[in-house]
Amino acid sequence: MNKQILSIIKKYEGKKGSAIPILQDVQGIAGYISKDSIRFISEHTGIPSAELYGIVTFYSMFRLEPQGRHLIRICKGTACHVSGADNLGSMLKTILKLKGDQTTTEDGRFTLIEVACLGCCSLAPVIMVNEDTYGKLSSDKLEKILNKYE
Ligand code: FES
């Protein structure tokens, strides 16, 4: 993996604002950004680990842990919150059999994460599965939606 990361770093060598593209490429290979990868990128680019970690935790497109085959983003923004996002989130966790802080299903099919806003507040409450947006959701629609994803 480190050899691949070195090759990515070389690709962006001398370019301003390379942190995000480097992280995107690393995630593209590994599926997530490990803490070891952050340390390695920092050591070989001079970008402080704290800055890289800040980027990875700020942008919802980055993940610090491996994820399932399908990523479910549930919006917990204000419009979705007042439209029942908490209840929807509980239903999703029940359907996916996620316990406690667990975010990825046992079979590796889904990862569920919460995001601040998906940018389509008029459709609240909203989830995204991969790049597909589902709005004006109620709990009875969830299983039908999830069944579309193998
Ligand atoms: S608050 Fe949910 S999409 Fe904006």
Side-chain angles (χ1 to χ4, degrees):
M1 184 67 198
N2 287 348
K3 195 174 171 186
Q4 291 171 298
I5 295 176
L6 277 176
S7 156
I8 291 168
I9 289 169
K10 191 170 181 169
K11 181 173 143 188
Y12 295 102
E13 204 167 0
K15 295 182 182 167
K16 279 191 169 187
S18 62
I20 290 177
I22 289 171
L23 291 168
Q24 286 174 317
D25 284 5
V26 170
Q27 183 166 279
I29 292 169
Y32 71 108
I33 314 280
S34 69
K35 290 179 182 166
D36 285 343
S37 294
I38 289 177
R39 270 191 293 277
F40 188 83
I41 295 167
S42 177
E43 284 168 16
H44 290 84
T45 61
I47 302 169
S49 289
E51 187 179 328
L52 294 167
Y53 187 78
I55 292 168
V56 171
T57 53
F58 179 79
Y59 293 105
S60 63
M61 66 186 166
F62 290 118
R63 294 173 297 280
L64 283 164
E65 293 176 5
Q67 74 164 43
R69 294 191 299 284
H70 306 288
L71 179 64
I72 304 171
R73 298 183 185 103
I74 180 163
C75 179
K76 292 294 183 103
T78 305
C80 289
H81 175 73
V82 298
S83 300
D86 285 347
N87 189 33
L88 216 54
S90 297
M91 285 295 298
L92 268 171
K93 285 186 113 181
T94 301
I95 292 168
L96 298 173
K97 298 181 174 77
L98 297 174
K99 298 176 187 109
D101 291 338
Q102 183 184 5
T103 57
T104 299
T105 57
E106 291 296 330
D107 61 3
R109 189 168 156 219
F110 292 106
T111 293
L112 174 65
I113 61 167
E114 296 180 355
V115 296
C117 180
L118 288 167
C120 45
C121 310
S122 63
L123 299 177
V126 180
I127 67 167
M128 281 184 80
V129 183
N130 303 330
E131 301 307 317
D132 304 324
T133 303
Y134 299 95
K136 300 200 181 291
L137 277 177
S138 55
S139 53
D140 57 315
K141 295 178 185 169
L142 287 175
E143 286 202 60
K144 194 173 174 187
I145 290 168
L146 297 181
N147 285 338
K148 294 180 184 177
Y149 301 90
E150 288 304 314

